[in-house]
Protein backbone atom coordinates (compact mmCIF):
# COMPACT_ATOMS: atom_id res chain seq x y z
CA UNK A 1 0.00 0.00 0.00
CA UNK A 2 1.42 3.34 -1.03
CA UNK A 3 1.47 6.15 1.51
CA UNK A 4 -1.25 8.79 1.25
CA UNK A 5 1.44 11.37 0.59
CA UNK A 6 2.49 9.50 -2.55
CA UNK A 7 -1.05 9.59 -3.90
CA UNK A 8 -1.40 13.28 -3.05
CA UNK A 9 1.83 13.98 -4.91
CA UNK A 10 0.73 12.02 -7.99
CA UNK A 11 -2.62 13.83 -8.04
CA UNK A 12 -1.01 17.24 -7.52
CA UNK A 13 1.45 16.64 -10.38
CA UNK A 14 -1.43 15.61 -12.67
CA UNK A 15 -3.43 18.65 -11.57
CA UNK A 16 -0.58 21.07 -12.29
CA UNK A 17 0.10 19.44 -15.68
CA UNK A 18 -3.59 19.61 -16.61
CA UNK A 19 -3.89 23.25 -15.54
CA UNK A 20 -0.77 24.16 -17.52
CA UNK A 21 -2.08 22.32 -20.60
CA UNK A 22 -5.51 24.01 -20.34
CA UNK A 23 -3.94 27.44 -20.04
CA UNK A 24 -1.63 26.73 -22.95
CA UNK A 25 -4.53 25.61 -25.13
CA UNK A 26 -6.68 28.53 -24.04
CA UNK A 27 -4.03 31.13 -24.79
CA UNK A 28 -3.06 29.57 -28.09
CA UNK A 29 -5.01 31.30 -30.86
CA UNK A 30 -6.78 29.22 -33.45
CA UNK A 31 -4.81 30.97 -36.16
CA UNK A 32 -7.62 31.32 -38.64
CA UNK A 33 -10.94 32.92 -39.42
CA UNK A 34 -12.51 30.08 -41.36
CA UNK A 35 -15.33 28.52 -39.36
CA UNK A 36 -16.03 24.92 -40.26
CA UNK A 37 -19.28 23.30 -39.23
CA UNK A 38 -19.28 19.54 -38.98
CA UNK A 39 -22.18 17.19 -38.46
CA UNK A 40 -21.35 13.56 -37.74
CA UNK A 41 -17.77 14.33 -38.74
CA UNK A 42 -18.77 15.49 -42.21
CA UNK A 43 -18.02 19.06 -43.24
CA UNK A 44 -21.42 20.68 -43.57
CA UNK A 45 -20.47 24.27 -44.22
CA UNK A 46 -17.53 26.66 -44.28
CA UNK A 47 -17.80 30.33 -43.45
CA UNK A 48 -14.99 32.83 -43.83
CA UNK A 49 -15.69 35.00 -40.79
CA UNK A 50 -13.39 37.77 -41.99
CA UNK A 51 -15.67 38.09 -45.00
CA UNK A 52 -18.83 38.48 -42.92
CA UNK A 53 -19.96 42.12 -42.87
CA UNK A 54 -23.49 41.92 -41.49
CA UNK A 55 -24.80 39.43 -38.91
CA UNK A 56 -25.88 36.32 -40.76
CA UNK A 57 -28.07 33.57 -39.43
CA UNK A 58 -28.58 30.07 -40.78
CA UNK A 59 -29.87 26.80 -39.44
CA UNK A 60 -28.24 23.40 -39.49
CA UNK A 61 -30.88 20.73 -39.46
CA UNK A 62 -30.24 17.05 -38.89
CA UNK A 63 -32.48 14.14 -38.02
CA UNK A 64 -31.45 14.73 -34.40
CA UNK A 65 -32.40 18.39 -34.20
CA UNK A 66 -31.85 21.97 -35.22
CA UNK A 67 -29.07 24.43 -34.37
CA UNK A 68 -29.45 28.08 -35.32
CA UNK A 69 -26.03 29.55 -36.00
CA UNK A 70 -25.21 33.24 -36.02
CA UNK A 71 -22.16 34.71 -37.74
CA UNK A 72 -20.84 38.18 -37.08
CA UNK A 73 -17.66 39.78 -38.36
CA UNK A 74 -14.86 37.63 -36.95
CA UNK A 75 -16.99 35.46 -34.67
CA UNK A 76 -19.60 32.72 -34.67
CA UNK A 77 -21.98 31.18 -32.15
CA UNK A 78 -24.89 28.84 -31.76
CA UNK A 79 -27.78 31.19 -31.12
CA UNK A 80 -30.35 28.58 -30.23
CA UNK A 81 -30.80 24.83 -30.41
CA UNK A 82 -33.36 22.23 -29.48
CA UNK A 83 -30.84 19.91 -27.84
CA UNK A 84 -31.49 18.88 -24.23
CA UNK A 85 -28.41 20.37 -22.60
CA UNK A 86 -27.84 23.68 -24.48
CA UNK A 87 -24.10 23.46 -23.86
CA UNK A 88 -23.51 24.65 -27.42
CA UNK A 89 -25.61 27.78 -26.85
CA UNK A 90 -24.04 28.54 -23.46
CA UNK A 91 -20.57 28.32 -25.02
CA UNK A 92 -21.20 31.75 -26.52
CA UNK A 93 -19.01 33.27 -29.19
CA UNK A 94 -16.25 31.29 -30.81
CA UNK A 95 -13.51 33.71 -31.66
CA UNK A 96 -9.83 33.00 -31.97
CA UNK A 97 -9.93 29.88 -29.80
CA UNK A 98 -8.61 26.41 -30.48
CA UNK A 99 -11.44 24.83 -28.45
CA UNK A 100 -14.39 24.02 -30.71
CA UNK A 101 -18.08 24.56 -29.99
CA UNK A 102 -19.65 21.14 -29.51
CA UNK A 103 -23.27 20.06 -29.50
CA UNK A 104 -22.90 16.44 -28.49
CA UNK A 105 -26.59 15.51 -28.72
CA UNK A 106 -26.71 16.69 -32.33
CA UNK A 107 -23.15 15.60 -33.11
CA UNK A 108 -22.37 19.08 -34.34
CA UNK A 109 -18.94 20.70 -34.07
CA UNK A 110 -17.89 24.22 -35.04
CA UNK A 111 -14.18 24.96 -35.17
CA UNK A 112 -11.90 27.63 -36.54
CA UNK A 113 -9.13 26.81 -38.96
CA UNK A 114 -6.65 28.79 -40.92
CA UNK A 115 -6.73 26.54 -43.96
CA UNK A 116 -6.79 28.25 -47.31
CA UNK A 117 -10.45 28.75 -48.18
CA UNK A 118 -10.71 26.68 -51.33
CA UNK A 119 -14.46 26.40 -51.39
CA UNK A 120 -15.28 29.10 -48.85
CA UNK A 121 -18.75 30.44 -48.95
CA UNK A 122 -20.08 33.35 -46.98
CA UNK A 123 -23.40 33.33 -45.14
CA UNK B 1 -30.73 -12.48 -5.61
CA UNK B 2 -32.33 -12.36 -2.18
CA UNK B 3 -35.17 -9.98 -1.51
CA UNK B 4 -33.15 -8.09 1.06
CA UNK B 5 -30.31 -7.55 -1.37
CA UNK B 6 -32.69 -6.53 -4.13
CA UNK B 7 -34.43 -4.01 -1.89
CA UNK B 8 -31.16 -2.58 -0.62
CA UNK B 9 -29.74 -2.14 -4.13
CA UNK B 10 -33.01 -0.62 -5.31
CA UNK B 11 -32.92 1.93 -2.49
CA UNK B 12 -29.36 2.85 -3.39
CA UNK B 13 -30.31 3.15 -7.08
CA UNK B 14 -33.19 5.43 -6.12
CA UNK B 15 -30.82 7.55 -4.01
CA UNK B 16 -28.36 7.80 -6.91
CA UNK B 17 -31.15 8.72 -9.33
CA UNK B 18 -32.48 11.40 -7.00
CA UNK B 19 -29.03 12.94 -6.64
CA UNK B 20 -28.57 12.75 -10.42
CA UNK B 21 -31.88 14.49 -11.18
CA UNK B 22 -31.34 17.18 -8.54
CA UNK B 23 -27.87 17.87 -9.94
CA UNK B 24 -29.40 18.37 -13.39
CA UNK B 25 -31.39 21.29 -12.00
CA UNK B 26 -28.24 23.11 -10.88
CA UNK B 27 -27.04 25.78 -13.28
CA UNK B 28 -24.03 24.91 -15.39
CA UNK B 29 -20.75 26.05 -13.93
CA UNK B 30 -18.89 26.31 -17.24
CA UNK B 31 -20.14 25.79 -20.78
CA UNK B 32 -17.84 22.88 -21.47
CA UNK B 33 -19.41 19.57 -22.40
CA UNK B 34 -18.74 16.98 -19.73
CA UNK B 35 -17.97 19.27 -16.81
CA UNK B 36 -20.29 18.38 -13.95
CA UNK B 37 -20.13 17.50 -10.29
CA UNK B 38 -21.08 13.86 -10.76
CA UNK B 39 -22.60 13.66 -7.29
CA UNK B 40 -24.39 10.41 -8.11
CA UNK B 41 -21.00 8.73 -8.13
CA UNK B 42 -20.92 9.09 -4.36
CA UNK B 43 -23.43 6.23 -4.38
CA UNK B 44 -21.40 4.17 -6.87
CA UNK B 45 -18.21 4.50 -4.82
CA UNK B 46 -20.02 3.86 -1.54
CA UNK B 47 -21.73 0.77 -2.97
CA UNK B 48 -18.49 -0.63 -4.37
CA UNK B 49 -16.61 -0.26 -1.10
CA UNK B 50 -19.40 -1.67 1.08
CA UNK B 51 -21.29 -4.20 -1.07
CA UNK B 52 -18.76 -5.22 -3.70
CA UNK B 53 -18.46 -5.07 -7.46
CA UNK B 54 -21.60 -6.88 -8.75
CA UNK B 55 -24.04 -4.81 -6.67
CA UNK B 56 -22.23 -1.55 -7.42
CA UNK B 57 -22.17 -2.26 -11.15
CA UNK B 58 -25.88 -3.11 -11.17
CA UNK B 59 -26.68 0.13 -9.32
CA UNK B 60 -24.48 2.13 -11.69
CA UNK B 61 -26.02 0.67 -14.86
CA UNK B 62 -29.60 1.11 -13.60
CA UNK B 63 -28.85 4.70 -12.62
CA UNK B 64 -27.29 5.56 -16.00
CA UNK B 65 -30.11 3.96 -17.96
CA UNK B 66 -32.97 5.39 -15.88
CA UNK B 67 -31.17 8.70 -15.46
CA UNK B 68 -30.90 9.41 -19.16
CA UNK B 69 -34.53 8.26 -19.58
CA UNK B 70 -35.78 10.57 -16.84
CA UNK B 71 -33.64 13.45 -18.06
CA UNK B 72 -35.09 13.00 -21.55
CA UNK B 73 -31.58 12.83 -22.93
CA UNK B 74 -31.23 9.34 -24.38
CA UNK B 75 -28.60 10.68 -26.77
CA UNK B 76 -26.33 11.21 -23.77
CA UNK B 77 -26.57 7.52 -22.87
CA UNK B 78 -23.57 6.60 -24.99
CA UNK B 79 -21.34 9.18 -23.32
CA UNK B 80 -22.57 8.32 -19.83
CA UNK B 81 -22.07 4.60 -20.43
CA UNK B 82 -18.56 4.86 -21.81
CA UNK B 83 -17.52 7.25 -19.04
CA UNK B 84 -19.31 5.24 -16.36
CA UNK B 85 -17.87 1.87 -17.34
CA UNK B 86 -14.31 3.15 -17.74
CA UNK B 87 -14.43 4.87 -14.35
CA UNK B 88 -15.89 1.73 -12.77
CA UNK B 89 -12.98 -0.31 -14.16
CA UNK B 90 -10.55 2.19 -12.65
CA UNK B 91 -12.37 2.01 -9.29
CA UNK B 92 -12.02 -1.78 -9.34
CA UNK B 93 -8.30 -1.58 -10.08
CA UNK B 94 -7.65 1.13 -7.49
CA UNK B 95 -9.56 -0.75 -4.79
CA UNK B 96 -6.72 -3.28 -4.53
CA UNK B 97 -4.12 -0.53 -4.06
CA UNK B 98 -5.72 1.56 -1.36
CA UNK B 99 -6.33 1.53 2.35
CA UNK B 100 -9.66 2.56 3.86
CA UNK B 101 -8.39 6.06 4.54
CA UNK B 102 -7.32 6.49 0.90
CA UNK B 103 -10.67 5.64 -0.65
CA UNK B 104 -11.01 9.18 -2.04
CA UNK B 105 -7.95 8.58 -4.27
CA UNK B 106 -9.89 5.96 -6.22
CA UNK B 107 -12.67 8.46 -6.81
CA UNK B 108 -10.24 11.08 -8.14
CA UNK B 109 -8.80 8.67 -10.71
CA UNK B 110 -12.25 7.32 -11.54
CA UNK B 111 -13.51 10.84 -12.25
CA UNK B 112 -10.56 11.47 -14.59
CA UNK B 113 -11.24 8.14 -16.30
CA UNK B 114 -14.90 9.05 -16.63
CA UNK B 115 -14.07 12.23 -18.50
CA UNK B 116 -11.50 10.42 -20.63
CA UNK B 117 -14.11 7.82 -21.60
CA UNK B 118 -16.61 10.55 -22.45
CA UNK B 119 -14.15 12.38 -24.67
CA UNK B 120 -13.21 9.12 -26.40
CA UNK B 121 -16.89 8.43 -27.13
CA UNK B 122 -17.45 11.99 -28.32
CA UNK B 123 -14.42 11.81 -30.62
CA UNK B 124 -15.66 8.54 -32.10
CA UNK B 125 -19.23 9.75 -32.50
CA UNK B 126 -18.39 13.11 -34.06
CA UNK B 127 -15.17 11.94 -35.80
CA UNK B 128 -13.54 15.08 -34.45
CA UNK B 129 -10.10 14.36 -32.92
CA UNK B 130 -9.71 18.04 -32.00
CA UNK B 131 -12.18 17.50 -29.13
CA UNK B 132 -9.05 16.28 -27.35
CA UNK B 133 -8.31 19.94 -26.53
CA UNK B 134 -10.95 19.57 -23.81
CA UNK B 135 -9.02 16.79 -22.07
CA UNK B 136 -6.87 19.05 -19.84
CA UNK B 137 -9.85 21.11 -18.67
CA UNK B 138 -11.87 17.98 -18.03
CA UNK B 139 -8.93 16.45 -16.13
CA UNK B 140 -8.82 19.47 -13.83
CA UNK B 141 -12.57 19.27 -13.29
CA UNK B 142 -12.34 15.51 -12.74
CA UNK B 143 -9.70 15.89 -10.04
CA UNK B 144 -11.69 18.55 -8.17
CA UNK B 145 -15.09 16.84 -8.40
CA UNK B 146 -13.58 13.39 -7.83
CA UNK B 147 -11.93 14.64 -4.66
CA UNK B 148 -15.25 15.99 -3.40
CA UNK B 149 -17.32 12.90 -4.23
CA UNK B 150 -14.51 10.65 -2.99
CA UNK B 151 -14.26 12.29 0.42
CA UNK B 152 -18.05 12.24 0.73
CA UNK B 153 -18.13 8.56 -0.18
CA UNK B 154 -15.34 7.82 2.29
CA UNK B 155 -17.38 9.32 5.12
CA UNK B 156 -20.49 7.53 3.87
CA UNK B 157 -18.70 4.18 3.81
CA UNK B 158 -17.51 4.74 7.37
CA UNK B 159 -21.04 5.44 8.56
CA UNK B 160 -22.99 3.00 6.42
CA UNK B 161 -20.73 -0.04 6.31
CA UNK B 162 -22.49 -1.86 9.12
CA UNK B 163 -25.97 -0.75 8.09
CA UNK B 164 -25.61 -1.83 4.46
CA UNK B 165 -23.76 -5.08 5.12
CA UNK B 166 -26.51 -6.57 7.32
Amino acid sequence: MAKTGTWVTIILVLLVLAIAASLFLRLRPAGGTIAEIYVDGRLERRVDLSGVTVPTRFTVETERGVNVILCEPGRIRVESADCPDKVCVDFGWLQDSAAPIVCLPHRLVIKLTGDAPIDAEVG
Amino acid sequence: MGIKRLARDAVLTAAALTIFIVELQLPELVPIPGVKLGLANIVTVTALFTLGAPDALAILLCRILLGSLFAGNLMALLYSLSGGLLSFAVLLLMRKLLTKKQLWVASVFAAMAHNLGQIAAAILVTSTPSLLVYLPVLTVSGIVTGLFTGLTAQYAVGRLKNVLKK
Side-chain angles (χ1 to χ4, degrees):
Chain A
M1 298 283 168
K3 284 209 175 82
T4 303
T6 316
W7 290 114
V8 172
T9 312
I10 295 173
I11 293 169
L12 276 179
V13 168
L14 280 170
L15 184 65
V16 169
L17 283 178
I19 290 176
S22 340
L23 287 177
F24 173 75
L25 288 170
R26 178 156 283 271
L27 297 175
R28 192 186 64 158
T33 56
I34 316 285
E36 291 184 335
I37 297 149
Y38 293 85
V39 175
D40 253 335
R42 277 178 294 103
L43 183 61
E44 188 82 16
R45 199 166 183 141
R46 286 178 79 131
V47 182
D48 186 353
L49 295 176
S50 61
V52 176
T53 48
V54 286
T56 317
R57 194 175 276 111
F58 57 88
T59 56
V60 176
E61 224 177 314
T62 65
E63 67 259 40
R64 287 178 214 94
V66 182
N67 296 71
V68 179
I69 292 161
L70 179 64
C71 301
E72 280 186 10
R75 56 185 196 166
I76 187 168
R77 69 168 298 171
V78 179
E79 195 179 36
S80 61
D82 58 359
C83 56
D85 57 21
K86 303 281 190 287
V87 168
C88 53
V89 179
D90 295 338
F91 186 98
W93 291 103
L94 176 63
Q95 181 175 20
D96 208 31
S97 149
I101 298 181
V102 197
C103 182
L104 281 181
H106 293 171
R107 301 184 184 180
L108 175 126
V109 175
I110 305 175
K111 60 179 178 184
L112 294 178
T113 69
D115 295 346
I118 305 156
D119 57 344
E121 50 167 296
V122 176
Chain B
M1 190 184 259
I3 287 179
K4 210 164 186 179
R5 188 179 173 198
L6 184 63
R8 184 195 57 203
D9 288 6
V11 166
L12 283 173
T13 307
L17 260 176
T18 310
I19 295 171
F20 178 80
I21 300 292
V22 168
E23 188 188 322
L24 277 183
Q25 311 305 317
L26 301 176
E28 259 166 51
L29 300 170
V30 275
I32 296 170
V35 173
K36 58 183 297 195
L37 288 167
L39 295 177
N41 294 312
I42 295 170
V43 177
T44 314
V45 178
T46 308
L48 177 63
F49 282 83
T50 50
L51 308 174
D55 295 71
L57 185 61
I59 292 167
L60 174 68
L61 289 176
C62 287
R63 192 261 296 170
I64 290 176
L65 200 68
L66 293 172
S68 52
L69 260 176
F70 289 172
N73 196 353
L74 266 181
M75 288 173 281
L77 188 61
L78 184 66
Y79 311 112
S80 310
L81 263 184
S82 50
L85 289 179
L86 191 62
S87 72
F88 192 77
V90 167
L91 276 182
L92 281 181
L93 284 174
M94 297 288 299
R95 190 164 64 139
K96 312 270 179 221
L97 304 172
L98 299 171
T99 62
K100 272 177 197 151
K101 291 274 174 214
Q102 299 170 336
L103 194 155
W104 59 272
V105 175
S107 175
V108 170
F109 282 94
M112 284 192 275
H114 188 282
N115 290 344
L116 188 67
Q118 269 188 323
I119 288 194
I123 285 175
L124 286 177
V125 163
T126 63
S127 325
T128 310
S130 58
L131 291 185
L132 211 57
V133 301
Y134 282 123
L135 185 60
V137 182
L138 286 178
T139 302
V140 175
S141 107
I143 290 173
V144 175
T145 61
L147 180 66
F148 179 71
T149 53
L151 285 173
T152 313
Q154 189 169 318
Y155 287 120
V157 169
R159 303 276 165 137
L160 295 176
K161 192 145 202 164
N162 298 322
V163 183
L164 288 173
K165 261 294 174 194
K166 265 178 200 162

